[in-house]
Amino acid sequence: MVGHRTSLASGLYEGCKAEKAIKFHFSTSLGAIKTWSPKTTFTATPRNGEPFTVEADVVLAADGIKSNARRDMLKTLNINADIIDTNQAAYRIMINRSDILDDPELLELMDGETVTRWIGEKRHIIAYPISNNTIYNMSTCQPDVNFAAAPSETYTTKGSKPAMLSVFSDFCPKIQRLLNLVPDGEVCEWKLRVHAPLPTWVHGSVALVGDACHPTLPHLAQGAAQAIEDAAVIGVLLGKLPDSSPATINKTLQVYQKIRKDRAETLVEMAAASGRELHLGKGAAKEERDRQFEELKKKGGRVPDKWADADVQKMIYGVDVMKIADEEYEEMFKSI
């Protein structure tokens, strides 16, 4: 069974609620980091309220690709690592089972246990059933048009259904029927951005986590997964602190970076490379890619779609980062 991201978020939230030591501050953003060590202090800014100062032993900044913590860290260290436009955008669509009961072909997709990818020049759609086969989840990728002139802080926009249908007008009839089921006025488009690899994820007692330090394109399905790996490693490492001094905290966060940085950045580039191969236009490279797909049907081999490639899957799912953190912490700590 495959769940939706909201199910994951809800599960994490419920798990946190069970811990009495966790206190939530909803609708509150990290404003600016004032000090990095020995105690980290930062401004918290409620949506409807006065800013207040927070002091912490450790700050794990998982504040996304628009991270204020990253902004302040890079400014403090005199580092430039700009957000990069990928010239790609995405529609995210969920089709309810009740909407396709009279369409046997679409019901077959809903009742299947497979992920389907439709690809075309500079575009693709990936889709699969979720929530006990009651919802068909679709994610697209297409050239960025609506955000081209938008300010850098704009990441989502209400899209046009006719424009969406036009972008995928040459895709198969199943896609046309699925996209036509999207209610007018409920088309939402996301801009896909990344940023240059950072020289460091750590400063003082602050560590960047997830999209704040390694945002990735969705072509490898590793965005949230890599953030979870970050969190899992940090959880193991902080449980091994020999003491709570700022120096020990900083070195431990550097161990986190040592375990995670190269792996995460490799997968970020692999996701981008997979997108480039999926989106090929006419020419020799596309012909070779299509030949490999045909060969795959007959006798297996390399998969041009890296998400489905056995060797790539082994690289992604065959590494136990928590085990590495548990077994190699002391040696890595001493080496820093």
Side-chain angles (χ1 to χ4, degrees), residues 39-272:
K39 293 283 188 180
T40 299
T41 58
F42 62 89
T43 301
T45 307
R47 186 178 300 165
N48 299 304
E50 294 298 319
F52 58 94
T53 298
V54 178
E55 182 180 272
D57 294 312
V58 186
V59 172
L60 305 176
D63 52 341
I65 190 169
K66 295 185 281 186
S67 170
N68 289 337
R70 182 185 69 243
R71 175 203 64 199
D72 291 350
M73 182 182 292
L74 298 183
K75 183 178 180 180
T76 299
L77 298 174
N78 293 315
I79 295 171
N80 290 319
D82 294 332
I83 292 173
I84 299 170
D85 278 334
T86 64
N87 299 314
Q88 299 175 55
Y91 297 114
R92 288 179 178 150
I93 299 161
M94 289 190 289
I95 304 297
N96 292 313
R97 184 181 188 87
S98 58
D99 293 331
I100 61 170
L101 293 177
D102 296 328
D103 192 320
E105 284 191 318
L106 299 188
L107 273 176
E108 185 178 1
L109 291 174
M110 180 74 77
D111 289 331
E113 296 182 354
T114 59
V115 176
T116 304
R117 178 105 70 178
W118 292 266
I119 62 175
E121 184 175 357
K122 297 182 179 179
R123 298 157 297 155
H124 77 260
I125 297 173
I126 187 168
Y128 45 88
I130 61 173
S131 302
N132 291 320
N133 302 84
T134 61
I135 295 173
Y136 199 59
N137 187 59
M138 303 175 67
S139 179
T140 77
C141 184
Q142 64 276 346
D144 169 21
V145 175
N146 293 320
F147 295 94
S152 61
E153 64 268 17
T154 302
Y155 282 71
T156 61
T157 187
K158 281 289 185 181
S160 158
K161 184 174 179 178
M164 177 182 69
L165 292 170
S166 175
V167 169
F168 296 100
S169 62
D170 57 342
F171 277 45
C172 72
K174 288 181 184 178
I175 290 297
Q176 305 309 314
R177 300 203 300 278
L178 285 165
L179 295 182
N180 268 293
L181 290 170
V182 179
D184 292 324
E186 293 188 17
V187 176
C188 193
E189 190 172 15
W190 275 257
K191 185 174 185 63
L192 301 179
R193 287 188 173 117
V194 295
H195 61 64
L198 305 178
T200 184
W201 296 358
V202 174
H203 183 52
S205 298
V206 179
L208 303 176
V209 177
D211 278 0
C213 50
H214 52 75
T216 179
L217 291 169
H219 313 322
L220 207 60
Q222 282 299 297
Q226 289 306 300
I228 290 171
E229 283 196 11
D230 291 348
V233 167
I234 290 170
V236 172
L237 297 179
L238 292 183
K240 289 179 166 292
L241 287 173
D243 60 72
S244 58
S245 69
T248 294
I249 290 171
N250 175 262
K251 287 180 69 173
T252 298
L253 294 178
Q254 289 187 59
V255 172
Y256 149 68
Q257 175 176 284
K258 195 168 186 177
I259 294 171
R260 292 289 304 129
K261 192 171 186 293
D262 286 349
R263 172 172 165 80
E265 290 176 352
T266 295
L267 293 175
V268 167
E269 173 50 34
M270 193 172 289

Side-chain angles (χ1 to χ4, degrees), residues 299-316:
K299 59 181 182 181
R302 177 184 178 274
V303 184
D305 184 348
K306 291 180 173 57
W307 174 83
D309 184 86
D311 290 337
V312 174
Q313 289 184 346
K314 184 177 180 180
M315 174 189 173
I316 293 172

